[in-house]
Amino acid sequence: MFENCKNIINLNLRDKIDTSRVTNMSKMFSGCENLTNIDNNFDTTNVTDMSYMFNNCKKLNDLTLGNNFKTTNVTNMNYMFNGTEQMSILDLGVAFTKIAEKHENFITNLGSKVDETIIYVGEAIYKDKNNIRINPNSESLINYAKGTIICKYQ
């Protein structure tokens, strides 16, 4: 939808886009190199593909996905947050309760400075300050040593 829109800096999509029937959000913002802010309330109940969604949004620095960003049906999250180099806060929200089995480079190159990036998650995927579970019943982990993972949602 906005892929490679290099001149967009701020996007206010709150109450402007109905995503409740969308199934594919792959590359939705990929390559939006100057995008710093996305105000959204996406309903991702039916989404199955989120691969490359925020890939190479190099200047995106504070992203809150909100209460309707559901991940229960998602099967592909490859490169979802890869290359979000200036991210300081990534709030996955309360509805982000599982990470897809396909999650290659899910958070690779997220944040540029060690110990300055915070990822907020719910208890369903929280393991510890440097690890996220793939799902609540899994011992498979994604390690994130560049910053801190905090369990914000009980």
Side-chain angles (χ1 to χ4, degrees):
M1 178 177 258
F2 297 99
E3 183 181 9
N4 291 319
C5 290
K6 297 186 188 320
N7 295 324
I8 296 176
I9 296 171
N10 291 299
L11 274 175
N12 181 352
L13 301 175
R14 188 168 296 279
D15 302 321
K16 294 183 173 121
I17 294 179
D18 178 6
T19 57
S20 62
R21 291 181 280 161
V22 174
T23 59
N24 188 341
M25 288 185 157
S26 178
K27 299 182 181 178
M28 188 170 184
F29 302 102
S30 183
C32 294
E33 296 176 354
N34 292 305
L35 184 62
T36 60
N37 181 53
I38 304 169
D39 188 8
N40 74 89
N41 61 344
F42 296 137
D43 178 348
T44 60
T45 303
N46 294 306
V47 176
T48 59
D49 191 347
M50 292 182 177
S51 62
Y52 298 87
M53 189 170 180
F54 302 99
N55 182 59
N56 285 326
C57 290
K58 296 178 180 186
K59 293 186 179 178
L60 193 59
N61 58 26
D62 185 344
L63 180 62
T64 299
L65 298 179
N67 296 333
N68 293 315
F69 204 91
K70 298 175 178 128
T71 59
T72 52
N73 292 318
V74 180
T75 59
N76 191 345
M77 291 181 176
N78 286 341
Y79 294 85
M80 186 170 176
F81 298 103
N82 177 64
T84 52
E85 299 167 356
Q86 292 187 22
M87 188 74 72
S88 60
I89 296 174
L90 173 58
D91 189 334
L92 296 179
V94 68
F96 203 110
T97 57
K98 89 172 187 74
I99 295 169
E101 288 300 319
K102 292 182 184 177
H103 59 267
E104 182 180 348
N105 292 314
F106 174 69
I107 52 176
T108 304
N109 298 318
L110 183 139
S112 61
K113 297 179 181 173
V114 175
D115 295 330
E116 290 190 15
T117 302
I118 297 171
I119 302 174
Y120 292 112
V121 300
E123 66 182 341
I125 61 172
Y126 179 78
K127 171 66 175 169
D128 60 46
K129 71 177 189 135
N130 293 115
N131 292 286
I132 304 171
R133 284 189 178 96
I134 303 302
N135 66 58
N137 301 317
S138 177
E139 288 304 315
S140 295
L141 304 173
I142 296 174
N143 179 265
Y144 184 70
K146 209 180 245 187
T148 304
I149 300 166
I150 296 173
C151 184
K152 182 176 180 180
Y153 306 100
Q154 303 296 321

